[in-house]
């Protein structure tokens, strides 16, 4: 009887261990599409506030989140930037290893200074960049971002429809993850934590 | 007691490692690599209608690149495209939607009217197969050259030297297959096989099976 109990308990502990081991070693399930590109993400140089030029390659060693948006954006951009800002706050000290760069899809209205004022409202580390319309069109195209002007109201002026994904470039400069619009703060935090581990 | 615990721990470790090895060796699930993001575009098709990369979200798309004055290489490209369309029912596509797009890199000559005449001439079904271009030549060069990584260059006689590539893009806008060279297996056969693999992933990689598909990506279980 004692032996039987020992084997049943042993088997249960073993199965629990197997399950625990599987959960521990299982691959992290990202909340977006993982890209396994052998090539570095497309590098660019654009204008930031204070007359600075910013290149993607300047941030190697950090996780870079690329977001294409604009300061007059009524809903999608503030929602995404607010979520990323909150995710960075929940990362604590590790947030220093993450850099969000918002690339403007509205170069007519977004000056570098205006972008800086807008993005730092969501997190003090955020950077906003812009450039010549042709250059922005090329960068956006190569990151799979479509955008087009769209008539708005008298109050808002024209709007810009744009692909609202959040692109994650890893510490070595490889495009690693594409998060869809609508990812939650917790989901962003989980993925960033995993990539910073 | 301590020995039993240690034995149990090692047994557990062996099972986990053996499972991972078995997954890698037997590759129960095949996937296509997620190579890189496909470029975004905004072009005009053979019917003067706009076609953008956003319109094709949710579609598995096969892209080719050509120009309407092209004879020999384009004949083979077009025949392959037609063969794939004719044999689509061989793959288990389920509810996965497919589209075919040929991008012209000669916008100076290839107006929508010229593209329509070309489509008619080669017997293309333009409901499913779109012929597009954009007058913005520098952006076109970035899209085809850098985005799809497909070479083309105009020669002094006005014709083009180009890479007769086929590019397979999934519904999330990620490049999943590039077919640039002839192999023993025809390009149509390879693309059809890959369409089947991709469709299986699109239809099955949800819920608990998503983890198995992600493991297949991690272990590089790529379909040949």
């Amino acid at each position: 009887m004692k032996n039987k109990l020992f084997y049943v308990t042993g088997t249960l502990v073993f199965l629990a261990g197997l399950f625990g081991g599987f959960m521990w070693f299982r691959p992290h399930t990202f909340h977006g599409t993982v890209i396994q590109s052998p090539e570095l993400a497309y590098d660019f140089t654009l204008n930031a506030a204070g007359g600075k030029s910013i290149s993607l390659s300047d941030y190697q060693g950090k996780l870079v989140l690329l977001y294409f948006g604009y300061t007059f954006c009524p809903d999608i951009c503030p929602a995404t930037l607010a979520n990323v800002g909150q995710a960075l706050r929940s990362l604590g000290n590790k947030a220093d290893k993450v850099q969000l760069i918002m690339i403007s899809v509205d170069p007519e209205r977004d000056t570098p200074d205006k972008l800086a004022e807008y993005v730092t409202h969501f997190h003090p580390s955020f950077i906003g960049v812009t450039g010549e319309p042709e250059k922005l069109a090329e960068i956006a195209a190569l990151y799979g971002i479509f955008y087009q002007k769209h008539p708005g109201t008298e109050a808002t002026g024209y709007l810009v429809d744009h692909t609202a994904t959040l692109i994650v470039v890893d510490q070595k400069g490889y495009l690693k993850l594409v998060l869809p619009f609508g990812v939650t703060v917790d989901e962003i935090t989980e993925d960033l934590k995993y990539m910073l581990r | 007691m301590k020995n039993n615990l240690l034995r149990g721990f090692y047994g557990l470790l062996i099972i986990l490692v053996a499972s991972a090895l078995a997954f890698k060796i037997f590759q129960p699930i095949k996937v296509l690599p997620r190579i890189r993001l496909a470029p975004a575009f905004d072009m005009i098709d053979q019917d003067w209608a706009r076609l953008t990369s956003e319109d094709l979200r949710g579609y598995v798309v096969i892209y080719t690149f050509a120009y309407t004055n092209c004879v020999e290489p384009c004949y083979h490209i077009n025949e392959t495209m037609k063969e794939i369309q004719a044999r689509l029912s061989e793959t288990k596509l389920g509810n996965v939607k497919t589209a075919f797009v040929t991008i012209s890199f000669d916008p100076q000559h290839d107006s929508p009217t010229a593209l329509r005449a070309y489509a008619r001439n080669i017997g293309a079904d333009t409901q499913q197969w779109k012929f597009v271009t954009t007058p913005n030549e520098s952006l076109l060069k970035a899209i085809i050259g850098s985005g799809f990584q497909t070479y083309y260059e105009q020669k002094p006689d006005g014709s083009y030297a180009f890479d007769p590539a086929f590019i397979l893009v999934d519904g999330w806008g990620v490049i999943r297959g590039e077919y640039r060279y002839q192999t023993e297996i025809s390009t149509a056969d390879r693309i059809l096989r890959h369409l089947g693999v991709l469709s299986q992933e699109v239809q099955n990689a949800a819920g608990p099976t998503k983890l198995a598909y992600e493991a297949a990506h991690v272990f590089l279980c790529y379909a040949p």
Side-chain angles (χ1 to χ4, degrees):
Chain A
M1 185 63 186
K2 235 181 180 180
N3 254 356
K4 201 177 172 187
L5 190 70
F6 175 78
Y7 283 118
V8 169
T9 315
T11 309
L12 284 177
V13 168
F14 185 77
L15 287 175
L18 198 63
F19 178 73
F22 171 74
M23 294 304 280
W24 181 261
F25 288 110
R26 73 184 173 142
H28 172 75
T29 308
F30 284 97
H31 299 91
T33 306
V34 178
I35 310 287
Q36 292 148 299
S37 179
E39 300 146 24
L40 291 172
Y42 179 71
D43 197 11
F44 56 79
T45 303
L46 288 167
N47 311 321
K52 277 188 194 163
S53 284
I54 297 282
S55 297
L56 174 65
S57 51
D58 296 342
Y59 295 94
Q60 277 204 10
K62 284 190 174 192
L63 274 184
V64 179
L65 306 181
L66 294 178
Y67 185 69
F68 291 76
Y70 66 114
T71 60
F72 284 78
C73 182
D75 38 28
I76 289 172
C77 312
T80 306
L81 294 173
N83 281 357
V84 176
Q86 216 173 317
L88 291 202
R89 278 181 203 99
S90 60
L91 284 177
N93 289 342
K94 282 189 172 177
D96 296 345
K97 293 174 183 168
V98 182
Q99 179 63 59
L100 179 130
I101 302 175
M102 180 169 112
I103 300 173
S104 173
V105 290
D106 186 10
E108 280 175 49
R109 294 184 293 191
D110 288 346
T111 62
D113 290 339
K114 201 171 190 176
L115 277 161
E117 191 190 333
Y118 177 75
V119 295
T120 50
H121 173 71
F122 299 97
H123 194 277
S125 72
F126 286 3
I127 294 172
V129 291
T130 185
E132 293 298 314
E134 298 77 20
K135 200 172 179 182
L136 290 173
E138 185 179 317
I139 296 166
L142 294 179
Y143 278 102
I145 304 292
F146 168 79
Y147 64 94
Q148 64 176 1
K149 275 190 189 174
H150 166 80
T153 62
E154 209 171 294
T156 62
Y158 67 83
L159 299 173
V160 184
D161 293 337
H162 60 93
T163 310
T165 48
L166 190 60
I167 296 166
V168 187
V169 177
D170 74 11
Q171 295 91 331
K172 289 179 181 168
Y174 293 93
L175 199 162
K176 175 75 181 174
L177 180 67
V178 181
L179 292 166
F181 170 68
V183 279
T184 64
V185 175
D186 289 345
E187 289 168 342
I188 297 170
T189 310
E190 274 175 35
D191 286 354
L192 294 182
K193 260 187 189 163
Y194 181 78
M195 293 175 82
L196 288 168
R197 75 199 185 283
Chain B
M1 184 65 182
K2 203 178 172 186
N3 273 351
N4 278 343
L5 268 176
L6 212 60
R7 259 185 239 137
F9 174 75
Y10 284 127
L12 202 70
L13 205 63
I14 288 166
I15 287 177
L16 288 169
V17 172
S19 307
L21 274 174
F23 197 96
K24 174 70 185 161
I25 293 164
F26 298 112
Q27 304 197 351
I29 292 174
K30 297 279 188 192
V31 289
L32 298 183
R34 296 165 180 150
I35 300 170
R36 64 180 179 280
L37 283 175
F41 61 82
D42 183 356
M43 300 198 189
I44 303 293
D45 76 6
Q46 76 288 335
D47 295 322
W48 294 90
R50 262 177 97 188
L51 183 76
T52 72
S53 45
E54 284 302 307
D55 298 329
L56 296 167
R57 287 254 169 204
Y59 285 80
V60 171
V61 188
I62 296 166
Y63 289 91
T64 60
F65 311 90
Y67 65 112
T68 60
N69 284 330
C70 157
V71 189
E72 183 63 21
C74 296
Y75 172 78
H76 293 291
I77 294 170
N78 296 336
E79 287 306 300
T80 301
M81 285 287 258
K82 284 197 275 185
E83 185 184 345
I84 295 166
Q85 286 174 63
R87 293 172 54 198
L88 268 182
S89 57
E90 288 176 20
T91 60
K92 290 174 185 166
L93 283 176
N95 56 2
V96 175
K97 295 179 284 185
T98 53
F100 298 79
V101 176
T102 293
I103 302 178
S104 164
F105 41 73
D106 187 12
Q108 285 191 10
H109 295 102
D110 292 346
S111 63
T113 311
L115 290 171
R116 185 155 62 179
Y118 180 74
R120 194 178 297 136
N121 192 32
I122 63 169
D125 169 13
T126 53
Q127 286 298 309
Q128 201 180 18
W129 185 0
K130 303 293 180 189
F131 295 80
V132 300
T133 194
T134 171
N136 187 337
E137 290 191 45
S138 62
L139 191 56
L140 187 65
K141 189 79 188 174
I143 290 167
I144 301 177
S146 304
F148 286 111
Q149 297 191 358
T150 297
Y151 161 82
Y152 70 93
E153 190 167 14
Q154 194 165 26
K155 294 194 275 191
D157 66 359
S159 66
Y160 282 83
F162 71 102
D163 175 12
F166 293 80
I167 309 286
L168 178 61
V169 175
D170 70 18
W172 297 283
V174 179
I175 295 178
R176 306 297 293 270
E178 296 175 306
Y179 312 87
R180 301 181 189 278
Y181 311 102
Q182 292 292 331
T183 64
E184 281 179 13
I185 303 164
S186 80
T187 304
D189 283 342
R190 280 190 292 152
I191 292 176
L192 283 162
R193 188 173 59 199
H194 286 178
L195 275 173
V197 171
L198 186 53
S199 302
Q200 288 299 303
E201 183 179 350
V202 171
Q203 292 173 91
N204 299 332
T209 50
K210 187 177 178 191
L211 198 61
Y213 274 92
E214 287 308 314
H217 281 285
V218 169
F219 288 114
L220 312 177
C221 303
Y222 296 146

